[in-house]
Amino acid sequence: MSKPLVFKPINIARWLIWSGFAILLIVTPLIFSSGGSLSLLSQIGTVMIFGLSFNMLLGQGGMLSFGHAVYSGLGAFFAIHAMNLIAAGSMVFPITLIPLIGGIAGMCFGILFGYVTTKKSGTTFSMITLGMVELVFACSLMFPSFFGGEGGISTNRVIGQSFLGITYGPQIQVYYLIAFWLFISTIGMYAFTQTPLGRMVNAVRDNPERVEFVGYDTQWVRYLTLILSAFFAGIAGGLSAINFEIVTAENVSAVRSGAVLLFTFIGGVGFFFGPLIGAVIGVFLTVMLSDLTKAWQLYLGVFFILIVMYTPGGIASIIMMNLRVAKFGMFKRVWPAMWKLVLAGAFTTFGIIIGVEMLYQRTLEATQSSIINLFGVTVDTASHTAWLVTLVIIAVGIFACSRLKGGFSRHWGDVNTEIEEQMRRAQA
Amino acid sequence: MSGFSLELKEVRKSFGSAEIIRGATLQVPKGERFAIIGPNGAGKSTLFNLISGRFPITSGDILLNGESISGLKPYEINRRGLSRSFQITNIFHRLSVYENLRCAVLWSLGYKYSFWHRLGGLKDAHERAEAVLEQIGLKRRRNITAGLLTYAEQRALEIGITIAGGADVILLDEPTAGMSRSESDAAVELIRKVTVGKTLLMVEHDMSVVFGLADKIAVVVYGEVIACDTPANIRNNQKVKDAYLGGHAPAEVE
Amino acid sequence: MSLLTIKNLNAFYGKSHVLHGVDMHVNPGEIVSLLGRNGVGRSTTVKATMGQVDATGSIMFKGEEIIGLKAFQIAHRGLGYVPENRDIFPSLTVEQNLMLGEKSGRDKNSKPRWSMEDMYQMFPRLRERRNTQAGVMSGGEQQMLTLCRTLMGDPDLIMIDEPTEGLAPKIVELVAEYLKELKNRGISVLLVEQKLAIALEISQRVYVMGHGSIVFEGSPADLRANENIRKEWLEV
Amino acid sequence: MEFTLITLLNGVSYGLLLFMLSSGLTLIFSMMGVLNFAHASFYMLGAYFAYAISVKIGFWPALVLAPLVVGFLGAMVERYGLRSVHKYGHIPELLFTFGLSYVIVELVQLIWGRSTVPYPIPAALDGPLFTLYTTTFPMYRGFMMLVALLMLASIYLLLTRTRIGLVIQAALTHPDTVEALGHNVPRVFMLVFGGGCALAGLAGVVGGNAFVTEPGMAATLGSIIFVVVVVGGMGSLAGAFVASLLIGVLQTFAVALDYSFVSLFSVFGMSITASAPGYSLLSLTIAQVAPILPYLLLVLILIFRPRGLLGTREG
Amino acid sequence: DTIKIAYIDPLSGPFAPVGQNILNSYQYIADKANADKWAGEHKFEVVGFDNKGSTQESLNVLKTVIDKGFRYITQGNGSGVGLALLDAVNKHNERNPGKEIIYLNHAAVDPDMTNSKCSYWHFRFDSNSDMKMEALTTFMAADKNIKKVYIIGQNYSFGQQVTRAAKEYLARKRPDIQIVGDDLHPIGQVKDFSPYVAKIKASGADTVITGNWGADLALLIKSAKDADLKANFYTYYAATTGVPTAMGAAGVDRVKYVGYWNPNNETFSGKDIVEGFKNKYKDDYYAIATYSVIAAMSQAVKQAKSIEPAKVAVALEGLNFKSLNGDDMMRKVDHQIQQPLYIATWVKTNGKDVKFDQENTGMGWKTNQKIDSFVASQPSSCQMKRPG
Ligand SMILES: Nc1ncnc2c1ncn2[C@@H]1O[C@H](COP(=O)(O)OP(=O)(O)OP(=O)(O)O)[C@@H](O)[C@H]1O
Ligand SMILES: Nc1ncnc2c1ncn2[C@@H]1O[C@H](COP(=O)(O)OP(=O)(O)OP(=O)(O)O)[C@@H](O)[C@H]1O
Ligand SMILES: CC(C)C[C@H](N)C(=O)O
Ligand SMILES: [Mg+2]
Ligand SMILES: [Mg+2]
């Protein structure tokens, strides 16, 4: 028996998930409370909104945009100009609602640019967006009064009266502002997926031609979606303006657009929550890692390539696969093989990281000294033993991985076959 | 106003220098089932493409319920009550079967580009989709991703999407292609059921389907309608025999 | 000795097991039909033979094991395949499609059995549209094109998956004629067909497939006589 | 006059360098559908290898060897990377090359450091080719133009005299079928990708010493070659050629022209002062808007002629 | 105690070579200072943080380093970034009294930073672009061969400032000199300067003034050579990493720079550092702002008897100290260093007045003139808000 979809006025699971999300947002800064992690969290929050809005296009609408930063960036510029106007006393508006200005600006540019870009789909769409972002970026130097030239526009978010002690001076207050908007925006964007337009844009992604024959104008579907997505991107932009108190031309650049694409893809475009994961990982990789190691770009590149090659569904798909296995109560069966493989993988990674760090020390920092501190151990990159040990670690790791891989994928395959079999039986 | 659902007047279509449709004229009265037959490459699918707005016509005119629809976009034509299926399956392969059907009914129920309605709350859309699901016999496959359906099931879904919007002029392009005898029999039943009171235009090579369903048969050869008559008359029409049916009797040997 | 011998063939799509031990063979110069309901695995059998589906078991072609070989290696050994969904190359012209049928690195001296001219004679319609993009051709025209394209590769055994789908009755007859002609030219044919009438008319032997294995083997006459098999495995 | 001629020559030679880069990209893009974001990185590799080789055994061997090495690397990238991504579709392929560009830059810096390397123009080609009025036209620029033209001719021959192009186009949509017809599709893909990369490598060999060989050289040229490929028409080699020249000449001339709307109006006797509304817009000179011209062209082309100048298909 | 200085500059991307060289310089000097106990028992530690050349990223890094407990930051490569950091430091210090940080500017030379935007927490150890232009034009004014000047620069705050100052000062000192053209091009993006050179040539200029640096300068000079442009180049940054290599013999006798130092100075002061640095890093030491910063800081902490920024800032104001170019002073009104400037020309090394070559090219900088502090000194419009 298939269970027909009935309308439950209250969907318990959904309530649980949303309240869990809210609680998570509230509690996280209490755990990671240092100034640095707070600003990191704030940044993650804005990137999350940005990523979700990007995924409205890519994941739900099949529109690969290389220029999404245009909307968030222009939103940010409008937001920051608004803040400066408030500071100058020529405008009265609560800071809390500044992101809305960003959103509306983003939306207006969505209306303007989207009209042109969404005329086309597929690769042509991508290419127009690439041209558009380069265009806006190049313009930024031509109109210094708006874009502030190379140095950007800066502001001070502590303006106006403090309301209930909220000045947005301390980072924690900014964090909660972002968390609030993140929560609202996430609900908004999730709700969008559950509307007629949200569903039709899925249909357009799958088969635009057929959509035309069930009464919809695909261009309008894409256009409207883009406008809404640009609105949320603008909110993200407004928040980043408050968070950084500066907006530069980089905010409207192809680099920024590329970054959101990377993050979202790493997170997983196939799932609504993929961009949330992507934002965490992406910000971690680009902001944190570059403090820890010189080789961060290499790690980022390699990590990304591995994701593309082995889990094109992103991290979200790994999580979902494991959850599914767990749900069917078969996790026990894959676990013994899994932990061994994960361990071996971690060991290999460990070896490779040591190798890479030593290599960097040797070539780029050779002039400094050959000594490097890795995981609390001092290693001399000039000594042969150090290299030998590293190579042995890597070799052992790779050997172990290749030995264990077969067993794991067999178990994994079996389990998934069985699950699919069970599901099929449930269907039939 | 004429009593015809669909009327083709001297329709012509050229691709580059090749004229594919050479002055096709056809009148389909309301509520009748028409079959279109003709050799491969005669222009049957092209005719459908012209009627449904997929391609613009080169000259001539097409009337839907007495109004000209030439030059309109496919979605505009669809909104005026004409729906079509495709010879090569054309469904939303990453959506579930149910979602495929729900997408197909949204416009006709007036939800347009709404992003303020909650899909889950649209009772009428839900009921329509469920009803069609039942009709095309895919209830059990409701939540399967459409791309994973078997070929025959996809063909059924193709028909389902076409009829779901409740259009009163329906164009089916080889609805039973690739189906086995029994499946195509079922498909014929389905088509018969869902087109009651509607105008149907259908391209088919399977003569048992054609003769089983059609009130009238139009024969297209080289971009022209060379004959349009009742099945009995067509069966005995020498011109048709030469051009299309060949030595074989219309009904399969089986 | 038979040209193609399949023994205990098991095939998988990812993890789903579709063929459960298929045994069959095709002799030189014979037309063999593979019948069965939709979805029983006939196309899969052919694809597995062509190396396009993961399979285990044994497939001997001209006395050589070909399982595990790549599709292009199999094609070079003289096996031709006409896929069921008319995989024409839409952006290429008809003539370019036919050109791609010719094998690369073929022996320049040996004259192939077929020339492009033969193809155009067989289906004049193709000649008319030789410079058209194949993607815009009618369904039936595409079907003709796939058949010809494979013939251009000069196979010794050609496996054809539902060649008559979407063809007008007159053309269907024509195809049947040409299949017989292929046989006369010494090419063996493995035909996967839905239209029973044709299959029974032109083939020397038929196999009936059910649930991923062979459930009947015999002459067309045997099958006509065997009401049970027909009832159980072919009709509803 | 001197100025116009020299600027035209400069534009053409810059355009031809762009063509060397974009031809490989076009080849890969049109045949495999892969938007190779790492293409400029292979250009950089070409320059660095040429530097490394020319230090040891001279420029002329490097001219031959460096592209071969780059081509080989490209083929390996296809074989062990792209090929396994291929089945997921074009977006992951594109992203793969995107990630690759990060890795290549890092590796280059690991091996050759973060600064410019001294990769000089060979002595035999150093010096003026001819003097136009008072301006000398360097011999090396002439050499670059020659290499580009030879390259154009040989690619053209390769594509029209062999069936490889057909096989690849067909394999784009139906790889299984092409393979069943007896063509070794994976190998062809590998060759094409390697070949395209080798072309980029060649551009690097001749471009690296004409300009500067440094780790940032890939990033600066990256997006402009996409403009070329798209404007020319995806997959059209002739289009890439025309677009390269067009953009080369356009950019070269644009930076030299100090005209703005203000100067235009003043021709008609109207003078616009800084207080006029929109003055900042009206006073922008062509030289100032030069950086946006290629992108403006790109957007306009895509809107009004999505196939590109000489392209045959859309998207 | 350890004085931890966070070095926030590009260590990856196109500007990494310069960033890395200066970080090395800092660390080399810090080691030296620690070994020779410049600051008594206090030690220096300079830690590099990559800002990827981006303003926004710099602000992220700033937050991180503050979080890590750094109280001193130093930055220089790019006035755009500098202005943003200045602003952020001000805000931080305002919001976190008692946890102030100091911004030690080693190279961002936009004059605004010590004029309209000056800050109590910012100290600049490089002469600003107006000062350098003052020196340069004074030198040029004496050369009667200069008749037509062309100005070209990168389109960002520093490049714009150079253009403005050049026009202003030349008009003041040599009204007869004609400015035959000026151009601003996008920073770090132009690969082929031949169109610009054609333009310069068409204008008939005999002299070019440019604030370009890095590849933008190298390429410009190379193109000029190719087209046989017979003009002299007056630059700011022809001595920075990468330029000498790219310039090679092409620039001999034709390229000059104005800067706060030249290794081939009258007494070869700093000789041991140049040699020691080259030994250690196979690279040239040229950024003596690193020396000035460490020297001034050493003296300031000794004076303040504390490494607490609030106290050190007081000591730094108006501080007189010795650097490799002589006696320097951190002017109190605007926190702009006052130091001598050098003008030098690119020539073959000769072992006499040009001992040190650059980047192993066999060519080096010959001092033309040393210009005393007061000559280049500029008035300041700074209205500094001092705490308390
Ligand atoms: N876009 C196009 N450009 C050029 N020729 C086209 C185009 N579309 C169709 N044709 C040509 O028009 C002719 C008619 O095609 P159509 O698909 O209408 O045939 P059909 O009657 O449906 O045949 P079948 O029964 O085989 O499907 C064919 O020869 C085809 O090649
Ligand atoms: N790519 C695939 N992935 C998963 N399952 C598949 C795939 N292709 C086919 N199948 C399944 O394998 C079974 C056999 O398919 P096959 O195509 O061989 O059948 P067939 O006998 O040729 O039927 P048809 O008449 O539909 O062509 C079917 O149940 C089908 O659903
Ligand atoms: C490092 C320097 C070249 C930076 C430049 N002086 C600027 O202010 O932007
Ligand atoms: Mg048709
Ligand atoms: Mg089949």
Side-chain angles (χ1 to χ4, degrees), chain B residues 20 38-41 87 151 174 177-180 182-183 205 207 222 242-248 252-254, chain C residues 38 86 125 128-129 138-142 144 165-171 173 194-197 201 230 235-236:
Chain B
I20 302 296
N40 295 114
Q87 183 171 2
Y151 182 73
E174 303 203 23
M179 292 188 180
S180 66
S182 55
E183 282 162 338
H205 286 300
M207 288 308 123
Y222 266 107
D242 292 346
Y244 183 61
L245 297 172
H248 264 286
E252 282 265 72
V253 181
E254 250 322 84
Chain C
N38 283 105
R86 339 186 159 105
R125 185 79 191 157
E128 280 170 42
R129 311 211 50 89
S138 86
E141 292 165 343
Q142 294 185 359
M144 302 170 201
E165 186 194 316
L167 291 190
K170 213 173 135 187
I171 306 285
E173 275 173 45
Q194 197 70 252
K195 294 198 175 71
L196 210 51
E201 184 192 321
R230 287 212 325 267
E235 289 139 29
V236 174

Side-chain angles (χ1 to χ4, degrees), chain E residues 124-314:
Chain E
R124 172 148 61 195
F125 289 86
D126 191 353
S127 304
N128 70 37
S129 68
D130 282 355
M131 299 163 80
K132 290 183 184 174
M133 185 55 75
E134 190 71 66
L136 200 61
T137 46
T138 305
F139 181 79
M140 289 169 78
D143 188 347
K144 291 295 167 210
N145 292 325
I146 300 180
K147 300 208 164 58
K148 293 180 169 180
V149 169
Y150 199 101
I151 309 165
I152 182 165
Q154 295 149 317
N155 194 2
Y156 79 115
S157 65
F158 163 69
Q160 291 153 1
Q161 294 282 13
V162 170
T163 307
R164 177 196 51 76
K167 285 185 186 165
E168 231 171 70
Y169 296 2
L170 279 178
R172 168 153 53 84
K173 295 179 187 168
R174 279 282 304 275
D176 61 306
I177 290 182
Q178 212 189 331
I179 307 285
V180 289
D182 68 287
D183 251 322
L184 289 174
H185 62 80
I187 175 169
Q189 284 172 28
V190 180
K191 283 283 118 177
D192 182 9
F193 274 91
S194 49
Y196 291 97
V197 171
K199 210 170 157 186
I200 295 173
K201 189 144 194 168
S203 75
D206 51 45
T207 302
V208 177
I209 297 180
T210 178
N212 279 14
W213 50 293
D216 284 337
L217 182 56
L219 288 173
L220 175 65
I221 289 175
K222 241 167 107 170
S223 286
K225 178 199 106 181
D226 284 347
D228 199 21
L229 172 66
K230 293 197 175 58
N232 292 322
F233 278 77
Y234 287 79
T235 74
Y236 277 55
Y237 291 112
T240 47
T241 309
V243 182
T245 301
M247 186 161 67
V252 166
D253 287 336
R254 222 178 259 167
V255 181
K256 297 187 167 45
Y257 83 85
V258 57
Y260 48 40
W261 192 60
N262 177 10
N264 300 307
N265 55 46
E266 31 339 317
T267 60
F268 294 102
S269 91
K271 179 171 183 285
D272 46 334
I273 295 182
V274 173
E275 279 164 356
F277 190 83
K278 187 148 196 157
N279 257 333
K280 185 160 180 198
Y281 298 109
K282 316 274 168 290
D283 199 356
D284 297 322
Y285 178 82
Y286 56 79
I288 69 147
T290 55
Y291 187 98
S292 312
V293 167
I294 302 289
M297 280 292 293
S298 304
Q299 208 171 315
V301 294
K302 276 199 286 194
Q303 240 166 42
K305 300 200 177 55
S306 160
I307 63 163
E308 181 61 32
K311 295 192 180 131
V312 174
V314 176

